[in-house]
Amino acid sequence: MKRVATLSLLAGCAILIGATHARAQGPQDLAQVVALDECDPDSFNSVLGQSGTGFCHNVALSTFGYATTLSDLLNGAETGSPDPGWDFEPDQLTIKQGTVVSVVDQGGEPHTFTEVKAFGNGFLPPLNPGSATSVIPECSGGFKNIAVARTRVVQGSRLEVIGLSKGKHLFQCCIHPWMRMEVDVK
């Protein structure tokens, strides 16, 4: 019996050492970013012909009036005053080199978290100020551009950005171009 207890204790120690070693090899630091929006499922999905569980879904507060209708979103974008509730939180982040930036979409719409050289217009002209058609190079081509498609974050999913070099990095949503964030890597 004493031998079984000793072997069990040794096995437990080996498992603990292995778990600690695996943790040391994994990401040391994690910085959380949340993509937020409150799209109104009725107005968004009816335009797309998708009632029920269409394009815009999982919006917890829409039944209480905390939702943006499609027409309000388009009008705000057109006039250059988009809905401030559609945002990345936090807006600015300072991290150590080697930190993983983990982006989670907690809104009802898909987004992208695309690194850009300078903020600018996205690939959907109706969501650009004045319906501008000039698109920044990083967003050009929309989801046909594999680099943009790789940065897509759909409802409830996670995107991890790794290997950022020291310096300032700008990220924006190529669909909703006012959703912007700066990450400073020290």
Side-chain angles (χ1 to χ4, degrees), residues 27-177:
Q28 294 292 326
D29 293 309
L30 185 73
Q32 182 75 50
V33 175
V34 178
L36 297 170
D37 70 74
E38 287 289 338
C39 61
D40 170 57
D42 293 335
S43 64
F44 275 72
N45 295 338
S46 66
V47 168
L48 299 171
Q50 303 173 336
S51 61
T53 60
F55 195 65
C56 168
H57 59 288
N58 294 335
V59 181
L61 298 176
S62 65
T63 56
F64 299 108
Y66 295 103
T68 305
T69 64
L70 181 59
S71 62
D72 285 348
L73 184 73
L74 293 172
N75 290 335
E78 176 74 23
T79 62
S81 57
D83 189 325
W86 292 52
D87 194 15
F88 292 120
E89 287 296 331
D91 297 324
Q92 195 279 331
L93 191 60
T94 301
I95 61 173
K96 296 184 307 188
Q97 191 170 16
T99 299
V100 174
V101 178
S102 179
V103 184
V104 177
D105 185 348
Q106 292 184 351
E109 284 273 297
H111 299 286
T112 75
F113 191 73
T114 308
E115 187 167 8
V116 298
K117 289 182 183 168
F119 294 130
N121 289 328
F123 63 80
L124 291 175
L127 294 175
N128 294 325
S131 296
T133 56
S134 61
V135 178
I136 59 172
E138 296 88 349
C139 295
S140 179
F143 292 127
K144 291 178 184 175
N145 177 343
I146 211 71
V148 174
R150 285 183 183 142
T151 67
R152 180 177 12 208
V153 190
V154 296
Q155 305 87 335
S157 73
R158 175 181 313 274
L159 172 75
E160 292 190 343
V161 179
I162 59 172
L164 291 176
S165 60
K166 288 186 177 184
K168 181 166 72 166
H169 298 265
L170 304 176
F171 292 89
Q172 81 172 50
C173 178
C174 287
I175 304 166
H176 314 98

